[in-house]
């Protein structure tokens, strides 16, 4: 499939179809509490605690509150396709970016932003870890390594976090 956007074209390649099984696996693995670190960022290493919730059928969301910004992640399904809405509030930004799947590898889902050609990211499931890599202009920009940490948050913290995470972007 070829996606045309703003004069740019993207080849959407999948080594394996985004089957119900892959979507389900992604949903099952990602939901929960993750403690980690944004190892590579423009401002240096940053602790990265996030809890992903199933907010609705086919919608998984989480918010990481960082020292310099908040990162809002919302994975959602439409027409059997996985999408990602991402918002970083760095520098006062309040405009989320819409991303779509561009390629699927064994344990990695690649996303690109059709409206923002310079942005791609990958999410690799390597239980008990998740690796997120963000690229600007095909150059590494951010690398986040998360480790499953269920039980790290209290019930009250989880309830507050879920309310903020599941809010529409």
């Amino acid at each position: 499939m070829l996606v045309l956007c703003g004069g740019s074209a993207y080849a959407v390649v999948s080594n394996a179809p985004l089957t119900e099984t892959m979507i389900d696996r992604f949903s099952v693995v990602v939901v929960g509490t993750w403690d980690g670190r944004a190892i590579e960022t423009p401002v240096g290493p940053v602790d990265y605690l996030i809890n992903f919730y199933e907010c609705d059928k086919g919608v998984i969301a989480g918010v990481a509150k960082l020292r310099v910004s908040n990162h809002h992640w919302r994975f959602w399904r439409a027409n059997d396709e996985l999408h990602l809405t991402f918002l970083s509030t760095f520098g006062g930004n309040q405009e989320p970016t819409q991303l779509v799947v561009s390629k699927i590898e064994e344990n990695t889902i690649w996303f690109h932003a059709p409206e923002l050609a310079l942005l791609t990211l990958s999410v690799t499931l390597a239980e008990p870890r998740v690796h997120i890599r963000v690229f600007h202009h095909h150059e590494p920009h951010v690398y986040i390594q998360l480790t499953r940490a269920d039980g790290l948050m209290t019930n009250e913290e989880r309830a507050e976090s879920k309310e903020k995470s599941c809010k529409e972007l």
Side-chain angles (χ1 to χ4, degrees), residues 32-87:
T33 303
W34 299 88
D35 190 19
R37 196 154 175 82
I39 298 166
E40 298 171 18
T41 78
V43 297
V46 177
D47 290 336
Y48 209 98
L49 174 63
I50 189 166
N51 200 348
F52 285 106
Y53 301 92
E54 184 171 16
C55 300
D56 201 357
K57 183 166 175 49
V59 177
I60 297 169
V63 178
K65 293 184 175 197
L66 312 174
R67 68 173 190 257
V68 295
S69 66
N70 292 338
H71 285 177
H72 300 258
W73 299 85
R74 186 176 191 85
F75 297 94
W76 51 281
R77 288 177 55 188
N79 302 323
D80 289 325
E81 295 178 348
L82 185 62
H83 300 263
L84 168 60
T85 301
F86 175 76
L87 170 64

Side-chain angles (χ1 to χ4, degrees), residues 90-122:
F90 186 76
N93 179 50
Q94 292 299 311
E95 190 65 37
T97 301
Q98 303 298 323
L99 297 104
V100 296
V101 171
S102 56
K103 183 167 111 176
I104 300 165
E105 297 172 339
E106 185 176 338
N107 292 317
T108 302
I109 300 174
W110 286 88
F111 294 87
H112 76 276
E115 301 296 321
L116 195 59
L118 60 92
L119 179 66
T120 57
L121 70 85
S122 67

